Amino acid sequence: MSEPLRIALAGLGTVGGGVIRLIETNADLIARRAERRIEIVAVAARDRSKDRGVDLSRYAWEDDMTAMAARPDVDVVVELVGGSDGPALTLARNTLNAGKDLVTANKAMIAHHGLELAALAEQADAALKFEAAVAGGIPVIKSLKEGVAANEIRRVYGILNGTCNYILSTMEDTGRDFADVLAEAQAKGYAEADPTFDIDGIDAAHKLAILSSVAFGTRIDFKSVTTRGIRRLLAADIAQADVLGYYIRLIGMADTEVDAAGQRRLVQRVQPHLVHRDHPLAHVDGATNAVVAEGNFVGRLLFQGAGAGDGPTASAVVADLIDIARGDIGAPFSIPVAELGEAPPAQTGDRIGSAYIRFNVADRPGALAEITAAMRDAGVSIESLIQKGTPGAAAGDADTVLVHMVTHDGPESAIQRAMALLCDSPCLTEPPVVLPILEE
């Protein structure tokens, strides 16, 4: 058996502890599959005194994690610190500049700096692996890079944030409103004390930008991801979706289109959707993640599993280490950086689809007529229009009623025009909520 693969581990939180436990528990199995042993030689974290439930005494401790790459006894650095910049980025640059391999679970860093790091890795003939950055233990990056490498990927989309999915599925099961379920999720540890990155869709947008680059062979472009979270959803939206035969899920979706000039353009969006109950994503509940990839020969593939947690994410990290132990380097985004395509953001107004719209309407004569007139003038065809309950019952305001609308298929630009016509309307007590509908 070859010499051991020696790793330095930066970050000893939930995932870091999981990596240590996994390598120790399955050491012999991992060695057989990697054809060499994987050994931890050094660790680092912000707080040396914290009890992490694992024995760290056998490993060297580095007070300055950014210096781990300079150790002569280290082959691979595993970065589990997090954050798009700061010590994590410094450590990543130091590692690759030293010609050493890097494994990371840091989706923010890859989304913002992935191209730079990939170029450094290629120059050094080093590996940059980030399976754990997207969808936890689901091997979706590896599947896109290898399993369906012969296919043209036409669309990739899915449920990419377990916190939001837990909140939405709990709202479905209990009928409670968003704020109440969020507080419960925080108490149970499913949501951070500051949940902004999760509930506003930023975490999912980081993951989608990475998936887009791998799937379409394009330069990663996080800034062009249109992002809308779930904090404005009401229990009434969940209930009305159920009546219509749908569930509400936060979906990250990316595909490409060719404009009139022949330029390929990229669509990347994270936003809540109504998902038809016959669609495979409709029944993904709790903190589970799921990704759908559609290839021109393989058809539709579904990858589903735990999207976070110490075990699943550690599994993805160690799988990357096994690949490195076997000598599998490969281009980080499946294609060398210089060959990644340019795909400017698409203009989405001509895209055809239907939508669910919820209006918070002042309880006054003529309000409904004003809404329907705006739809008519904008060219939006209405499939159904429902006013539920008594004034204020669902909205928490005695002077407001909720109006739920479903549109027929039509261009997105028509709905955008209708919302613009209504933006200053005194009949609306807050901006409408617009959710695209994802059919079977």
Side-chain angles (χ1 to χ4, degrees):
M1 189 172 287
S2 303
E3 289 295 314
L5 184 74
R6 303 164 300 175
I7 72 169
L9 178 60
L12 296 172
T14 300
V15 178
V19 169
I20 293 173
R21 284 188 290 272
L22 177 54
I23 289 176
E24 292 179 347
T25 301
N26 290 353
D28 291 339
L29 174 65
I30 290 168
R32 290 198 303 273
R33 290 178 174 169
E35 301 179 14
R36 59 195 295 198
R37 300 192 75 80
I38 295 176
E39 296 180 356
I40 301 169
V41 299
V43 296
R46 293 186 179 92
D47 182 0
R48 186 169 185 170
S49 63
K50 183 178 179 180
D51 181 6
R52 296 174 171 86
V54 292
D55 180 11
L56 301 177
S57 62
R58 73 196 77 180
Y59 313 128
W61 182 276
E62 282 285 349
D63 290 315
D64 179 7
M65 68 179 66
T66 63
M68 297 181 94
R71 293 181 62 100
D73 59 347
V74 167
D75 303 309
V76 185
V77 172
V78 177
E79 184 278 310
L80 303 174
V81 179
S84 61
D85 298 288
L89 182 58
T90 300
L91 175 59
R93 287 169 171 161
N94 290 352
T95 299
L96 297 170
N97 281 324
K100 298 185 178 182
D101 303 317
L102 176 69
V103 174
T104 180
N106 190 337
K107 82 277 293 183
M109 183 176 72
I110 297 299
H112 287 278
H113 303 287
L115 292 180
E116 173 202 343
L117 297 177
L120 290 177
E122 290 175 13
Q123 291 165 15
D125 195 25
L128 170 61
K129 303 280 189 179
F130 44 83
E131 183 68 66
V134 179
I138 307 172
V140 63
I141 298 293
K142 189 177 182 69
S143 297
L144 289 174
K145 288 173 64 175
E146 299 178 16
V148 295
N151 284 254
E152 176 187 351
I153 302 300
R154 293 175 169 168
R155 185 165 65 151
V156 61
Y157 60 102
I159 296 168
L160 302 174
N161 184 270
T163 298
C164 288
N165 210 53
Y166 172 83
I167 291 170
L168 292 173
S169 57
T170 301
M171 290 173 69
E172 288 168 3
D173 294 340
T174 65
R176 292 150 56 200
D177 260 322
F178 170 79
D180 185 28
V181 176
L182 172 60
E184 178 185 277
Q186 289 172 312
K188 290 183 174 181
Y190 294 136
E192 301 288 344
D194 179 0
T196 301
F197 263 48
D198 291 319
I199 65 175
D200 287 345
I202 300 168
D203 174 81
H206 285 145
K207 298 170 185 175
L208 183 68
I210 296 168
L211 281 175
S212 296
S213 180
V214 175
F216 304 125
T218 55
R219 299 177 67 83
I220 198 165
D221 188 14
F222 169 73
K223 68 181 182 300
S224 296
V225 183
T226 301
T227 306
R228 190 188 316 154
I230 66 170
R231 67 168 75 231
R232 293 191 60 214
L233 296 178
L234 301 175
D237 298 315
I238 303 287
Q240 187 57 41
D242 182 61
V243 170
L244 294 167
Y246 298 88
Y247 298 107
I248 296 179
R249 295 287 181 265
L250 182 71
I251 302 292
M253 181 176 294
D255 62 15
T256 60
E257 62 183 38
V258 178
D259 65 17
Q263 168 73 58
R264 184 168 68 150
R265 294 185 174 273
L266 182 61
V267 179
Q268 300 181 98
R269 295 194 286 196
V270 173
Q271 59 191 106
H273 284 65
L274 264 67
V275 180
H276 193 279
R277 60 167 52 110
D278 290 333
H279 193 284
L281 292 183
H283 300 284
V284 177
D285 55 15
T288 304
N289 281 193
V291 177
V292 176
E294 298 176 355
N296 63 334
F297 274 72
V298 76
R300 184 165 73 180
L301 299 174
L302 173 67
F303 307 91
Q304 180 176 339
D310 58 343
T313 310
S315 175
V317 169
V318 177
D320 279 345
L321 290 171
I322 291 172
D323 278 349
I324 291 170
R326 293 168 173 164
D328 176 13
I329 295 177
F333 291 96
S334 76
I335 295 173
V337 171
E339 297 177 25
L340 290 171
E342 296 283 354
Q347 300 296 319
T348 59
D350 292 335
R351 296 172 74 87
I352 304 298
S354 56
Y356 161 88
I357 309 173
R358 186 248 298 157
F359 301 91
N360 290 45
V361 180
D363 186 30
R364 50 189 264 185
L368 217 56
E370 183 176 345
I371 291 172
T372 56
M375 297 295 128
R376 177 201 63 211
D377 294 345
V380 177
S381 176
I382 300 171
E383 179 180 304
S384 63
L385 184 66
I386 304 166
Q387 178 177 314
K388 297 286 287 186
T390 58
D397 183 344
D399 297 319
T400 302
V401 295
L402 299 185
V403 173
H404 308 273
M405 177 186 293
V406 175
T407 72
H408 285 291
D409 281 352
E412 291 185 8
S413 58
I415 293 178
Q416 294 165 4
R417 286 194 299 271
M419 297 303 101
L421 290 173
L422 291 167
C423 68
D424 295 321
S425 171
C427 79
L428 300 182
T429 60
E430 62 179 77
V433 169
V434 181
L435 309 183
I437 295 178
L438 181 66
E439 296 291 351
E440 182 182 358

